[in-house]
């Protein structure tokens, strides 16, 4: 598998969607994670840029995933 540079995380109540892209922007990872699996998954992933839509839960997950060495970016929701 190519090295993952950027990860998009779609937050939900129970099942989160993770999409990883390499340096060329090609999708190299698509995965569903339950809430309890999220921190374990990102702990095993090499440091990368993580983007997620800003919401109440995004601030919590951003802090927790940022502690694992990832660069977290919150993007505004579409209006």
């Amino acid at each position: 598998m190519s090295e993952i540079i950027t990860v998009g995380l779609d937050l939900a109540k129970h099942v989160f969607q993770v999409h990883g892209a390499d340096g060329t922007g090609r999708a190299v990872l698509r995965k569903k994670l339950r809430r309890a699996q999220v921190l374990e998954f990102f702990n095993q992933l090499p440091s990368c840029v993580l983007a997620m839509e800003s919401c109440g839960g995004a601030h919590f997950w951003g802090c927790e995933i940022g502690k694992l060495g990832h660069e977290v970016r919150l993007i505004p929701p579409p209006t």
Side-chain angles (χ1 to χ4, degrees):
M1 179 176 5
S2 301
E3 182 180 359
I4 297 173
I5 302 296
T6 307
V7 173
L9 179 62
D10 185 18
L11 302 175
K13 285 187 178 183
H14 302 288
V15 179
F16 297 174
Q17 295 285 336
V18 178
H19 300 273
D22 62 9
T24 64
R26 187 173 58 90
V28 294
L29 171 70
R30 290 187 180 108
K31 189 171 183 74
K32 291 181 182 181
L33 296 175
R34 294 216 169 268
R35 186 175 287 272
Q37 298 171 313
V38 173
L39 292 179
E40 180 183 337
F41 173 80
F42 282 103
N43 192 35
Q44 296 175 2
L45 193 67
S47 293
C48 60
V49 175
L50 169 70
M52 62 182 136
E53 188 176 337
S54 182
C55 67
H59 296 281
F60 168 76
W61 288 109
C63 288
E64 294 300 312
I65 294 170
K67 291 176 189 176
L68 301 175
H70 299 283
E71 180 183 341
V72 178
R73 296 184 186 172
L74 300 180
I75 56 175
T79 56

